[in-house]
Amino acid sequence: MTESQKRFQEAMNKGHTAAWDQDWQDAADHYHQALEEKPDDPKALVSLGLALYELGSYDQSLQYYLQAVELSPEDPLGFEKTSQLHEMLGQHEDVISPALRASELYLKEGNIAKAVECLVRVNRVDAENLPTHSRLALIYERTGRKQQAVTEFLIVASLMQHQGELESAKQAAEHALSIQPTSREAAQALSLIDNGMALPLPVPSRVETFQIERESIPPAEPVISREEEVSDLDPVAEAHQKALLVLANLVFEQESGDRKNDREGLAREMQALADGMPSAGFIRQGDSKRVFTHLQQAVIYRGKGSDQEAADELEKAVEAGLDHPAAYFDLGFIHSRGDRLESAVRYLERSLSAADYALAARIILARTMRFMGRLNEGATNYLEALRLADAQVVPKDQSADMLRMYDPIIEAESKQSDPQIKNKLCDLIDDMLFRPGWQQHLVQARGDYQIDIDGAPSIPIGEVLTNPQGYRIVESVRTINHYARSGYMRSAMEEAYFAIQFAPTYLPLHTYMGELLLKQEHLKEAIEKFGTIAQTYHARGETFHAIKVLQRLLKAAPMDLDARMQLIALQEEKGQYYEAIQEKINLAGVYYNLADLNRAREVYLEAYQLAQNTGINRDLTVNILHHLADIELQSLDWKHAVEIYEQIRSVKPDDYQSTEKLIELKLRLGQDQQAQIELNDYLSFMGISGEDELVLTYLDKLVDEYPERIFIRRKKAELHLKYGHIEVAIQEYDAIGELLLDAGDRVGAKQAIKAILDLDPPNKEGYQELINNLDSEE
């Protein structure tokens, strides 16, 4: 990381801290400093925009948000905030475009609530915006908000009627009535249309225009609370709803492009009950016109509740070239409820690659396979579903590990031959996942299965469910947690020993015992326990679990060399070469701290060789070489250090630190001519990079360490002169003159003094007199 990057990150972190404390002026100051280092960083621009808004500087806030959306056109937040500020400032014509863009991006993310919020903002400033009302009508209908859907469809009917699209207006009103047959407003609207009477136009909302949310600024990367992701739908219903919205939005994207030159596109949009069309990215080589036609019909049938007809049209769209996971999931969903189960399986498997549908697709696949008598495949799909669900409710930094921890569980379950056990497992997982609010239920279940001790690893729920003693394990974990929370660690340990008697091979219990030993400060016993657990996991072939346990061990005992070497061996065995190299660097660091430079050198060389053999990124290789060079410096082997720094520069030419070290080493070795060449190259490179401040600091350091080197002082004087630091330049030329006089170089000394005179120094007469004296002595 360069000095500029460090300053940027430091300023951002300070800004975030101030924002947390609601000190918005301090936050704004730090964000300004960050932008001085990286003027085009979208995160810094957005953060400053928010701070300025909180300070009431709305115009300035808007300008930074506008810059952010230019640099990050796929981030909906910048567009949303831009539209909010335009609305607040009364710039209503400028609200619409960013609000619509934000809505489109939020829909692509599946964030329906935010998409609706942006569309409503458009209608507040443009009450007769037909495309926006059309899209809102569809979204409300698909999300079960019937009253709002009826209201929006009636607004659409009114707008179409006033545009002379009477048939389309009638269809919109009829559809509103079909959504809510008891709606008096829909019936009245339909009657007015039939009798040739005008429907009332919508009026702008008198509600307060908007209220900007106070956002928490993340320390470095966005953090999403798991609680915010809890849904009141079961995962299948949630995915199905999302698929319908996505398909409808695909239709709209095409029609909205046509609408500029075709006003009838709005009528077709409402006839299709949709607000979107597929972009070219979702169409394989084929007939895009046919894709659109069939997809449009599928959406129409979906709106009427004609699932089979919708499936027929959707399959035709796929045959014509549509390639989208939402289409595959919807087809699988429909066929799974009919008699085309093989087709359902085929389509659902094609939707698994999309995160939005993977969990729901696994659940439907599991249920379908089980119904077809394919119990083994059904159980596997249930466990795959649980894997995905479990990874969603643990902290985000543990998600990837949780996914990997299910590999041995699924493999072991595939060897289970007892159908009774398999059916019980399927029932347990189905009950756990196929329910509204499944996330919260899973979090509660994890609380029962997971020991409540800081540092304890997350255990897959599947590991408990597949254990024959699962229920007894849950009861024991609850008891352990009760004792541990109350501070009765010895009682918690006794309960753990009791649980081990009926589940001796359930290794998470042994892991909990290790955590309890750490809590009681029995470090030696805990290390031995963790070491045994890691060996057992490895013997079982569960290398990933063994790696996690060893990492936990090293967190408690970072100087344990044997454990670190075991960890490195397992990481190499699993092909985790980057992690293995990092651990080798850590191991070498331990030897370095123990003053065992020879062993540290050996391990760094092993890490370097592994990095070379596996093609690991350049920065890691350079990092290792820097460590090796440092050891040579500590060993006073300067020539070898020079070779390593030259190697670093060949790998990474822009590594200015290696050039600085080369300059210093060649000065120590008395190679002044080579040092001068290196210094000239260094100054040229740093000048191009704009790192003049770093150069000035470095030259100050060199002059302090090598005050007799005239060429260094001369470079320092020239650079300070370039930036108008006249006084510093005079001081350096003065020192150069004295050094040259001491060396008997009167000509060179006179040149240095003349350089001072050219700068018009305060004691000009004294310098002129010195020159006169030198001239008289010749």
Side-chain angles (χ1 to χ4, degrees), residues 551-570:
Q551 287 172 334
R552 179 68 186 99
L553 188 161
L554 287 168
K555 187 176 179 182
M559 300 296 284
D560 191 314
L561 300 178
D562 290 338
R564 200 172 293 279
M565 286 188 280
Q566 289 177 42
L567 176 59
I568 292 168
L570 292 181

Side-chain angles (χ1 to χ4, degrees), residues 634-654:
Q634 297 296 324
S635 304
L636 301 181
D637 189 347
W638 294 344
K639 289 185 178 180
H640 197 191
V642 166
E643 292 175 5
I644 296 174
Y645 282 121
E646 287 178 342
Q647 186 178 357
I648 291 173
R649 196 167 56 181
S650 68
V651 174
K652 189 180 180 183
D654 58 346

